[in-house]
Amino acid sequence: MELNGLRVSRETQERLRHFAALFQKWAKTINLVAPSTLDDLWNRHIADSSQIFQIHPKPVTWVDLGSGGGFPGVITAIFLSELQDGWVHLVESNHKKAAFLRTALRETDARGSVHTVRIEDAPAEISECKAISARALADLEGLMEYSAPWMLGQEDCRGFFHKGRDYLREIDKARGRWEFDLLEHKSAVEQESVILEISNLRRLV
């Protein structure tokens, strides 16, 4: 099996398929993603989320902000299981979604844990990380504010943020308050989308 050209082992494939089945079951009673996207779960959500690991396939400690239905946090945690190293801290304040995330991590034997707290309170529970991810959460300026407790002064901590067609406007807006190094990774799933890789974050105002 391949996802975006990434060869996936049989064990990881089985974990992803089990996650997809769990997701479909829970999504009948909990609004995990926009209902209009459920029919394209593999491409729109699982394959899209797997790009994070493809860009940064290292066994590091992640913080996934606003994990919701597990994208990309659970998907990254499943790939880390194959490496038998690394960890994903999933931050989700909604208790029903957090319950789903815990079930998904447990049943797929993924390398992650869930923190049912507001994002602003998460740094008190998660002291440090090397990578931060978020998908469909906030604009780039807001994501930098959320990530600042971990990224400021940490040259080896990077942010990986999914963004849609309006990403250039978000970058311009963010540069009014922040300095940062930027790499743009074109999405292999959505033609006009990107994953923005942020590092060396510094506050201007």
Side-chain angles (χ1 to χ4, degrees):
M1 177 184 180
E2 289 189 359
L3 282 174
N4 311 322
L6 174 67
R7 186 66 185 170
V8 178
S9 71
R10 179 178 299 176
E11 292 80 6
T12 296
Q13 180 179 342
E14 290 175 355
R15 288 185 173 110
L16 291 172
R17 292 192 184 281
H18 187 67
F19 169 78
L22 276 174
F23 185 94
Q24 294 282 15
K25 177 181 177 180
W26 281 67
K28 293 177 181 178
T29 56
I30 300 176
N31 184 26
L32 295 173
V33 295
S36 61
T37 67
L38 278 174
D39 291 339
D40 196 19
L41 177 63
W42 274 93
N43 187 62
R44 185 77 175 271
H45 297 294
I46 295 176
D48 188 38
S49 295
S50 74
Q51 295 181 96
I52 292 284
F53 182 79
Q54 289 175 269
I55 293 170
H56 200 63
K58 299 179 181 180
V60 300
T61 300
W62 287 79
V63 171
D64 186 57
L65 301 174
S67 299
F71 306 117
V74 172
I75 306 304
T76 301
I78 286 173
F79 277 105
L80 288 177
S81 291
E82 189 165 326
L83 300 181
Q84 298 182 0
D85 199 356
W87 197 260
V88 183
H89 294 281
L90 296 97
V91 180
E92 175 53 58
S93 62
N94 182 287
H95 285 265
K96 290 183 179 180
K97 291 179 180 179
F100 162 71
L101 293 170
R102 289 192 178 94
T103 300
L105 291 171
R106 182 178 66 253
E107 294 197 14
T108 60
D109 196 28
R111 294 185 62 82
S113 54
V114 181
H115 302 261
T116 313
V117 297
R118 297 170 68 247
I119 293 173
E120 295 87 345
D121 299 327
E125 294 192 6
I126 309 164
S127 60
E128 61 182 50
C129 67
K130 297 299 182 185
I132 300 170
S133 58
R135 186 171 179 264
L137 175 64
D139 67 8
L140 186 59
E141 184 179 357
L143 292 173
M144 290 178 174
E145 192 65 49
Y146 286 143
S147 303
W150 296 287
M151 291 190 71
L152 288 178
Q154 303 297 323
E155 294 183 4
D156 57 349
C157 183
R158 297 177 178 271
F160 298 88
F161 306 127
H162 286 79
K163 284 297 166 187
R165 64 181 65 182
D166 202 29
Y167 73 94
L168 290 175
R169 183 193 61 80
E170 291 192 30
I171 292 172
D172 287 342
K173 181 184 176 187
R175 290 199 186 279
R177 292 190 57 198
W178 302 92
E179 285 186 355
F180 50 91
D181 294 342
L182 171 67
L183 287 175
E184 297 179 18
H185 302 276
K186 295 297 183 182
S187 173
V189 176
E190 297 287 342
Q191 185 174 0
E192 296 182 346
S193 296
V194 296
I195 295 171
L196 300 181
E197 179 177 345
I198 307 294
S199 59
N200 292 318
L201 184 66
R202 288 92 67 194
R203 194 188 298 273
L204 290 175
V205 293

